[in-house]
CSV table of all heavy atoms in Angstrom, one decimal:
chain,number,residue,atom,x,y,z
A,140,GLU,N,-26.7,16.2,25.5
A,140,GLU,CA,-25.8,17.4,25.7
A,140,GLU,C,-24.5,17.3,25.0
A,140,GLU,O,-23.8,18.3,24.9
A,140,GLU,CB,-25.6,17.5,27.2
A,140,GLU,CG,-26.8,18.1,28.0
A,140,GLU,CD,-27.8,16.9,28.2
A,140,GLU,OE1,-27.6,16.1,29.2
A,140,GLU,OE2,-28.7,16.8,27.5
A,141,SER,N,-24.1,16.1,24.7
A,141,SER,CA,-22.7,16.0,24.1
A,141,SER,C,-22.6,16.4,22.7
A,141,SER,O,-21.7,15.9,22.0
A,141,SER,CB,-22.1,14.6,24.4
A,141,SER,OG,-22.9,13.7,23.9
A,142,GLY,N,-23.6,17.1,22.2
A,142,GLY,CA,-23.5,17.6,20.9
A,142,GLY,C,-24.2,16.7,19.8
A,142,GLY,O,-24.2,15.5,20.0
A,143,GLU,N,-24.7,17.3,18.8
A,143,GLU,CA,-25.5,16.6,17.8
A,143,GLU,C,-24.7,15.5,17.1
A,143,GLU,O,-25.1,14.3,17.0
A,143,GLU,CB,-25.9,17.6,16.7
A,143,GLU,CG,-27.3,18.1,16.9
A,143,GLU,CD,-28.4,17.1,17.4
A,143,GLU,OE1,-28.6,16.1,16.6
A,143,GLU,OE2,-28.8,17.2,18.5
A,144,GLY,N,-23.5,15.8,16.7
A,144,GLY,CA,-22.7,14.8,16.0
A,144,GLY,C,-22.5,13.5,16.7
A,144,GLY,O,-22.7,12.4,16.3
A,145,ALA,N,-22.2,13.6,18.0
A,145,ALA,CA,-22.0,12.4,18.9
A,145,ALA,C,-23.2,11.6,19.0
A,145,ALA,O,-23.2,10.4,18.9
A,145,ALA,CB,-21.5,12.8,20.2
A,146,VAL,N,-24.4,12.3,19.0
A,146,VAL,CA,-25.7,11.5,19.2
A,146,VAL,C,-25.9,10.7,17.9
A,146,VAL,O,-26.1,9.5,18.0
A,146,VAL,CB,-26.9,12.5,19.3
A,146,VAL,CG1,-28.2,11.7,19.4
A,146,VAL,CG2,-26.6,13.4,20.6
A,147,SER,N,-25.8,11.3,16.8
A,147,SER,CA,-26.0,10.6,15.6
A,147,SER,C,-25.0,9.4,15.4
A,147,SER,O,-25.3,8.3,15.0
A,147,SER,CB,-26.1,11.4,14.3
A,147,SER,OG,-24.8,12.0,14.2
A,148,ALA,N,-23.7,9.6,15.9
A,148,ALA,CA,-22.7,8.6,15.8
A,148,ALA,C,-23.1,7.5,16.6
A,148,ALA,O,-22.7,6.3,16.3
A,148,ALA,CB,-21.4,9.2,16.1
A,149,PHE,N,-23.8,7.7,17.7
A,149,PHE,CA,-24.0,6.6,18.7
A,149,PHE,C,-25.4,6.0,18.6
A,149,PHE,O,-25.6,4.9,19.0
A,149,PHE,CB,-23.7,7.0,20.1
A,149,PHE,CG,-22.3,7.0,20.4
A,149,PHE,CD1,-21.6,8.2,20.6
A,149,PHE,CD2,-21.7,5.8,20.6
A,149,PHE,CE1,-20.2,8.1,20.8
A,149,PHE,CE2,-20.3,5.8,20.9
A,149,PHE,CZ,-19.6,6.9,21.0
A,150,ALA,N,-26.3,6.7,17.9
A,150,ALA,CA,-27.7,6.3,18.0
A,150,ALA,C,-27.8,4.9,17.3
A,150,ALA,O,-27.5,4.7,16.0
A,150,ALA,CB,-28.6,7.3,17.3
A,151,GLY,N,-28.1,3.8,18.0
A,151,GLY,CA,-28.4,2.6,17.4
A,151,GLY,C,-27.2,1.9,16.7
A,151,GLY,O,-27.3,0.9,16.0
A,152,ARG,N,-26.0,2.5,16.8
A,152,ARG,CA,-24.8,1.9,16.2
A,152,ARG,C,-24.2,0.8,17.0
A,152,ARG,O,-24.4,0.7,18.2
A,152,ARG,CB,-23.7,2.9,16.0
A,152,ARG,CG,-23.8,3.8,14.8
A,152,ARG,CD,-23.4,3.1,13.6
A,152,ARG,NE,-23.6,3.9,12.4
A,152,ARG,CZ,-22.7,4.8,12.0
A,152,ARG,NH1,-21.6,5.0,12.6
A,152,ARG,NH2,-23.0,5.5,10.9
A,153,LEU,N,-23.4,-0.1,16.4
A,153,LEU,CA,-22.6,-1.0,17.1
A,153,LEU,C,-21.4,-0.2,17.6
A,153,LEU,O,-20.9,0.5,16.8
A,153,LEU,CB,-22.1,-2.1,16.2
A,153,LEU,CG,-23.2,-3.1,15.8
A,153,LEU,CD1,-22.7,-4.0,14.7
A,153,LEU,CD2,-23.7,-4.0,17.0
A,154,ILE,N,-21.0,-0.4,18.8
A,154,ILE,CA,-19.9,0.4,19.3
A,154,ILE,C,-18.7,-0.5,19.2
A,154,ILE,O,-18.6,-1.6,19.8
A,154,ILE,CB,-20.1,0.8,20.8
A,154,ILE,CG1,-21.3,1.7,20.9
A,154,ILE,CG2,-18.8,1.6,21.3
A,154,ILE,CD1,-21.8,1.9,22.4
A,155,PRO,N,-17.7,-0.1,18.4
A,155,PRO,CA,-16.4,-0.9,18.3
A,155,PRO,C,-15.6,-0.8,19.5
A,155,PRO,O,-15.4,0.3,20.1
A,155,PRO,CB,-15.7,-0.3,17.1
A,155,PRO,CG,-16.2,1.1,17.0
A,155,PRO,CD,-17.6,1.2,17.6
A,156,ILE,N,-15.2,-1.9,20.1
A,156,ILE,CA,-14.3,-1.9,21.2
A,156,ILE,C,-12.9,-2.4,20.7
A,156,ILE,O,-12.8,-3.5,20.3
A,156,ILE,CB,-14.8,-2.9,22.3
A,156,ILE,CG1,-16.2,-2.5,22.7
A,156,ILE,CG2,-13.8,-2.8,23.5
A,156,ILE,CD1,-16.3,-1.1,23.4
A,157,TYR,N,-11.9,-1.4,20.8
A,157,TYR,CA,-10.6,-1.7,20.2
A,157,TYR,C,-9.6,-2.3,21.3
A,157,TYR,O,-9.8,-2.0,22.4
A,157,TYR,CB,-10.0,-0.4,19.7
A,157,TYR,CG,-10.6,0.1,18.4
A,157,TYR,CD1,-11.7,1.0,18.5
A,157,TYR,CD2,-10.2,-0.4,17.2
A,157,TYR,CE1,-12.3,1.4,17.3
A,157,TYR,CE2,-10.8,0.1,16.0
A,157,TYR,CZ,-11.9,0.9,16.1
A,157,TYR,OH,-12.4,1.3,14.9
A,158,PRO,N,-8.7,-3.1,20.8
A,158,PRO,CA,-7.6,-3.5,21.8
A,158,PRO,C,-7.0,-2.1,22.3
A,158,PRO,O,-6.4,-1.4,21.4
A,158,PRO,CB,-6.7,-4.2,20.9
A,158,PRO,CG,-7.5,-4.7,19.7
A,158,PRO,CD,-8.5,-3.7,19.5
A,159,ALA,N,-7.1,-1.9,23.5
A,159,ALA,CA,-6.6,-0.5,24.0
A,159,ALA,C,-5.4,-0.7,25.0
A,159,ALA,O,-4.9,-1.9,25.2
A,159,ALA,CB,-7.8,0.1,24.7
A,160,CYS,N,-4.9,0.3,25.5
A,160,CYS,CA,-3.8,0.3,26.5
A,160,CYS,C,-3.9,1.4,27.4
A,160,CYS,O,-4.8,2.3,27.2
A,160,CYS,CB,-2.5,0.4,25.7
A,160,CYS,SG,-2.4,1.9,24.8
A,161,LYS,N,-3.2,1.5,28.5
A,161,LYS,CA,-3.2,2.5,29.4
A,161,LYS,C,-2.9,3.8,28.7
A,161,LYS,O,-2.0,3.9,27.9
A,161,LYS,CB,-2.2,2.3,30.5
A,161,LYS,CG,-2.3,3.2,31.7
A,161,LYS,CD,-1.4,2.7,32.8
A,161,LYS,CE,-1.1,3.7,33.8
A,161,LYS,NZ,-2.0,4.8,34.0
A,162,GLY,N,-3.8,4.8,28.9
A,162,GLY,CA,-3.5,6.1,28.3
A,162,GLY,C,-4.2,6.2,27.0
A,162,GLY,O,-4.0,7.3,26.4
A,163,LEU,N,-4.8,5.2,26.5
A,163,LEU,CA,-5.5,5.3,25.2
A,163,LEU,C,-6.7,4.4,25.2
A,163,LEU,O,-6.6,3.2,24.9
A,163,LEU,CB,-4.5,4.8,24.1
A,163,LEU,CG,-4.7,5.4,22.7
A,163,LEU,CD1,-4.7,6.9,22.8
A,163,LEU,CD2,-3.6,4.9,21.8
A,164,GLU,N,-7.8,4.9,25.7
A,164,GLU,CA,-9.0,4.1,25.8
A,164,GLU,C,-9.6,3.8,24.5
A,164,GLU,O,-9.3,4.4,23.4
A,164,GLU,CB,-10.1,4.8,26.6
A,164,GLU,CG,-9.7,5.1,28.1
A,164,GLU,CD,-8.9,6.3,28.2
A,164,GLU,OE1,-8.7,7.0,27.2
A,164,GLU,OE2,-8.5,6.5,29.4
Side-chain angles (χ1 to χ4, degrees):
E140 285 79 81
S141 55
E143 265 318 296
V146 178
S147 60
F149 278 107
R152 276 284 175 88
L153 290 169
I154 302 170
I156 303 296
Y157 288 91
C160 59
K161 190 172 161 19
L163 207 57
E164 294 84 6

